[in-house]
C-alpha cells in the first residue's frame, strides 16, 4: 500500500521526518501490531502487520526485524523513528525498551490518525497503521521524553494524593449526613 501518491511531492510530505525508516506501531494489551514504512519509496515494507507480543521477547523481535531491514536496505540505524498512537500504560514497556535501544519514539493523536486513514468507517490493524503513518507524515506528532524514575514516582504520589482527597471528602459527607439527622 502506497501512502504517498505519485502526484504528491514526497520531499514536502517528509520534511519533518529525518528518518529513512519509520516503525509504525498500533499498541494493544497483549499483542502490538507493527509495520515498517520506507520513506524512500513511500510504501510499507510488509503487506500485513507484524504481531509483536507485549513482553521482552516481542520487543527484541521488533528490534531484530528492524536490524534485518536496515541491513537489506542499507540504511543507517540512526535514521529510524518509531510512531505510535497516544501512549497508554500497556505500551510503556515497549516505549522504554525502544528508548533504551536509542530509537526516537514519537506519538500521534489517535483522533488525527483516524481522520487520516483511507477508510474512516471501518477499523482494522492495517488501516490503523496507515492512519498513524499518514499523521506522522503530516508532521502531527509529539516527541516522547524519556521519563525518569523520579518523574514516575512523583506521578504515582500525585495520583495517590488525589485518591486520598476523594476518600476524605466521601467520609466527611457520610459524617455530615449522620450529623444532619
Amino acid at each position: 500500500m502506497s501512502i504517498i501518491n505519485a502526484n504528491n511531492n514526497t520531499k514536502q510530505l517528509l520534511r519533518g521526518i529525518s528518518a529513512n525508516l519509520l516503525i509504525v506501531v498500533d499498541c494493544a494489551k497483549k499483542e502490538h501490531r507493527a509495520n515498517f514504512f520506507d520513506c524512500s519509496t513511500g510504501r510499507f515494507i510488509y503487506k500485513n502487520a507484524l504481531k509483536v507480543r507485549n513482553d521482552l521477547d516481542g520487543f527484541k523481535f521488533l528490534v531484530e526485524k528492524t536490524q534485518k531491514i536496515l541491513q537489506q536496505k542499507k540504511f543507517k540505524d540512526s535514521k529510524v523513528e518509531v510512531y505510535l498512537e497516544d501512549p497508554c500504560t500497556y505500551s510503556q514497556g515497549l516505549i522504554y525498551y525502544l528508548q533504551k535501544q536509542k530509537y526516537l519514539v514519537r506519538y500521534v493523536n489517535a483522533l488525527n490518525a483516524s481522520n487520516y486513514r483511507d477508510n474512516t468507517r471501518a477499523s482494522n490493524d492495517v488501516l490503523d497503521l496507515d492512519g498513524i503513518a499518514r499523521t506522522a507524515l503530516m508532521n502531527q506528532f509529539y516527541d516522547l521524553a524519556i521519563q525518569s524514575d523520579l518523574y514516575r514516582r512523583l506521578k504515582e504520589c500525585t495520583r495517590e494524593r488525589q485518591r486520598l482527597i476523594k476518600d476524605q471528602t466521601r467520609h466527611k459527607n457520610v459524617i455530615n449526613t449522620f450529623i444532619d439527622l
Side-chain angles (χ1 to χ4, degrees):
M1 174 191 302
S2 177
I3 289 182
I4 302 172
N5 297 328
N7 59 0
N8 287 343
N9 184 350
T10 304
K11 290 189 179 189
Q12 182 182 357
L13 277 175
L14 296 173
R15 68 178 175 262
I17 308 292
S18 62
N20 295 321
L21 183 69
L22 307 182
I23 304 172
V24 184
V25 182
D26 184 21
C27 296
K29 286 184 183 178
K30 292 185 180 179
E31 266 187 348
H32 307 307
R33 297 291 189 262
N35 207 340
F36 300 91
F37 183 80
D38 185 348
C39 293
S40 62
T41 62
R43 294 181 176 272
F44 282 108
I45 292 177
Y46 297 114
K47 183 178 179 180
N48 294 321
L50 298 174
K51 294 179 181 179
V52 179
R53 288 193 339 242
N54 194 10
D55 60 15
L56 186 59
D57 292 335
F59 306 157
K60 287 179 181 178
F61 168 76
L62 183 63
V63 170
E64 288 170 7
K65 280 287 190 186
T66 305
Q67 296 302 324
K68 285 181 185 177
I69 290 170
L70 291 171
Q71 289 172 355
Q72 290 172 353
K73 299 276 186 176
K74 297 182 174 67
F75 289 146
K76 294 181 181 172
D77 193 2
S78 62
K79 296 289 187 176
V80 177
E81 295 176 5
V82 182
Y83 290 88
L84 45 101
E85 284 183 332
D86 298 312
C88 45
T89 55
Y90 47 80
S91 65
Q92 293 300 319
L94 175 65
I95 292 168
Y96 180 73
Y97 183 81
L98 291 172
Q99 286 177 334
K100 208 169 177 189
Q101 299 294 318
K102 306 292 184 215
Y103 288 103
L104 177 62
V105 181
R106 294 175 163 170
Y107 72 95
V108 300
N109 182 282
L111 181 61
N112 289 346
S114 68
N115 291 336
Y116 282 115
R117 290 192 324 220
D118 274 342
N119 184 345
T120 56
R121 292 184 183 184
S123 179
N124 63 35
D125 296 327
V126 174
L127 291 174
D128 291 342
L129 292 172
D130 175 61
I132 295 169
R134 285 176 188 259
T135 306
L137 292 174
M138 294 298 198
N139 295 320
Q140 296 186 5
F141 54 80
Y142 307 94
D143 288 329
L144 272 170
I146 297 175
Q147 293 185 359
S148 68
D149 190 46
L150 179 64
Y151 175 77
R152 184 184 54 77
R153 286 187 288 167
L154 179 63
K155 189 166 60 171
E156 288 173 359
C157 289
T158 303
R159 289 180 180 165
E160 180 65 18
R161 181 179 181 278
Q162 289 171 346
R163 189 188 64 74
L164 289 171
I165 289 172
K166 280 184 180 180
D167 281 350
Q168 181 184 23
T169 304
R170 189 179 53 218
H171 290 301
K172 283 181 179 180
N173 289 340
V174 169
I175 291 171
N176 287 334
T177 301
F178 285 119
I179 290 174
D180 289 341
L181 291 177

